[in-house]
Amino acid sequence: MVALMDGMMGGMGWWMVLWGLVGLAVLVLVVLAIVRLIRSDSSRAGTPVGEDPAQLELRRRYATGQIDQEEYLRRLDDLRRP
């Protein structure tokens, strides 16, 4: 009987270790997901992906009234040429 109980406890010990590792893996995945969310939000705060910084500056100058529409369109056309 003692040998039977010892064998059962050994089996339960492995299950406990397995569930501990599964819990740890889930915790790591949650932390990684939170870090990824934070990084993606902070990357959106700067220059949008694929936006040319020169075009952004030109758009800013036009919006603040430093240049008129004609100059804006002319410079934008210059920037878009290959």
Side-chain angles (χ1 to χ4, degrees):
M1 178 108 177
V2 172
L4 181 63
M5 297 269 300
D6 189 34
M8 286 177 55
M9 291 302 287
M12 287 185 78
W14 284 109
W15 279 107
M16 289 172 61
V17 170
L18 177 66
W19 281 110
L21 290 175
V22 168
L24 184 62
V26 168
L27 181 63
V28 167
L29 288 174
V30 167
V31 168
L32 288 175
I34 291 171
V35 168
R36 187 170 183 169
L37 276 173
I38 291 171
R39 283 188 178 172
S40 68
D41 283 346
S42 65
S43 69
R44 283 188 229 152
T47 303
V49 176
E51 283 283 341
D52 182 13
Q55 288 183 15
L56 288 173
E57 176 64 20
L58 183 63
R59 190 176 307 142
R60 185 194 64 77
R61 291 185 65 200
Y62 178 62
T64 59
Q66 294 177 0
I67 59 174
D68 61 2
Q69 183 179 14
E70 182 181 327
E71 186 172 353
Y72 170 75
L73 294 174
R74 184 179 55 79
R75 289 184 183 202
L76 185 62
D77 186 48
D78 287 344
L79 289 173
R80 289 184 176 167
R81 282 193 199 138

